Amino acid sequence: MALRDILIHPDPRLKTVADPVATIDDGLKRLADDMLETMYAAPGIGLAAPQIGVMQRMLVMDCVKEEGAAPRPMVLLNPEVTWSSEACNVYEEGCLSVPDQYADVERPAEVEVTWTSLEGAEQSERFDGLWATCVQHEIDHLNGKLFIDYLKPLKRQMITRKMQKLKRERARA
Ligand code: K1U
Ligand code: ZN
């Protein structure tokens, strides 16, 4: 297993629609392991393949928060939202590609998602709470969308400028 570098906004790969996963092989299983290790190390509750520069429709997440509870690492290939609730939730979101920036985002409170597992089985599950917020945030990444795209242009521009400065500083270090 290996830690992967996480891309920081702005980066054209974070604005690009990812390609469907066509083949499940050992390379893809290693990629899933690397993504989970990178997510837990960050630390984060989700990670989408484009965030590490892999333009495939694949995400990992684990939103178990309770201290001492068993982890629930999930790997979703080609996920699709098949149903969204009318009711919405507002959650203060963060993003590993937009470090240290948080903002309220409104999304459907519950979603049903279908995907293919690493074993090639078709899966479907209804998510609520933080799981629903996280899976929608990660599917947005697969479609080239960031949580800051839901914000007013001025706020988005402010965050983008901060990220450009952060990238310049990191490049110099
Ligand atoms: O996609 C990402 O960048 C990961 C992101 C997922 C996410 C967070 C909040 C709402 C929706 C989606 C993160 O994991 S940011 C880090 C974070 O939220 C967190 C880190 C440690 C403990 C608990 C949460
Ligand atoms: Zn994110």
Side-chain angles (χ1 to χ4, degrees):
M1 289 209 285
L3 286 181
R4 304 288 192 105
D5 288 335
I6 297 174
L7 300 178
I8 303 298
H9 165 73
D11 186 295
R13 288 165 287 184
L14 294 171
K15 304 297 293 173
T16 303
V17 178
D19 299 320
V21 172
T23 314
I24 302 173
D25 56 16
D26 286 350
L28 198 80
K29 288 174 187 166
R30 275 195 296 275
L31 173 62
D33 283 344
D34 287 357
M35 286 176 63
L36 282 166
E37 190 183 2
T38 304
M39 177 192 80
Y40 285 125
I45 54 172
L47 188 71
Q51 291 181 276
I52 56 164
V54 176
M55 303 313 296
Q56 295 205 59
R57 301 186 74 78
M58 172 172 181
L59 67 88
V60 298
M61 61 176 181
D62 184 349
C63 300
V64 172
K65 289 185 299 191
E66 300 77 22
E67 188 110 333
R72 189 187 177 207
M74 298 190 75
V75 179
L76 282 65
L77 310 178
N78 300 329
E80 273 181 46
V81 175
T82 52
W83 173 84
S84 306
S85 63
E86 293 279 327
C88 287
N89 254 348
V90 175
Y91 192 88
E92 191 180 46
E93 297 191 15
C95 180
L96 298 175
S97 295
V98 192
D100 301 322
Q101 305 300 315
Y102 303 91
D104 283 348
V105 177
E106 186 178 71
R107 300 183 187 271
E110 282 185 70
V111 285
E112 188 164 286
V113 178
T114 59
W115 71 94
T116 304
S117 73
L118 266 185
E119 292 72 40
E122 291 307 306
Q123 312 272 315
S124 179
E125 185 167 328
R126 193 174 282 209
F127 293 101
D128 62 11
L130 183 55
W131 287 92
T133 298
C134 186
V135 76
Q136 292 176 81
H137 176 115
E138 301 309 332
I139 291 173
D140 273 354
H141 275 302
L142 305 181
N143 292 323
K145 190 164 183 172
L146 297 174
F147 82 100
I148 58 170
D149 294 326
Y150 293 94
L151 309 181
K152 294 202 173 98
L154 203 63
K155 169 103 179 156
R156 185 165 62 241
Q157 207 173 70
M158 230 175 62
I159 292 177
T160 298
R161 291 208 175 117
K162 278 189 192 164
M163 293 299 105
Q164 284 167 330
K165 185 163 174 267
L166 175 74
K167 287 175 78 168
R168 277 198 303 274
E169 286 165 358
R170 284 192 182 181
R172 264 193 263 116

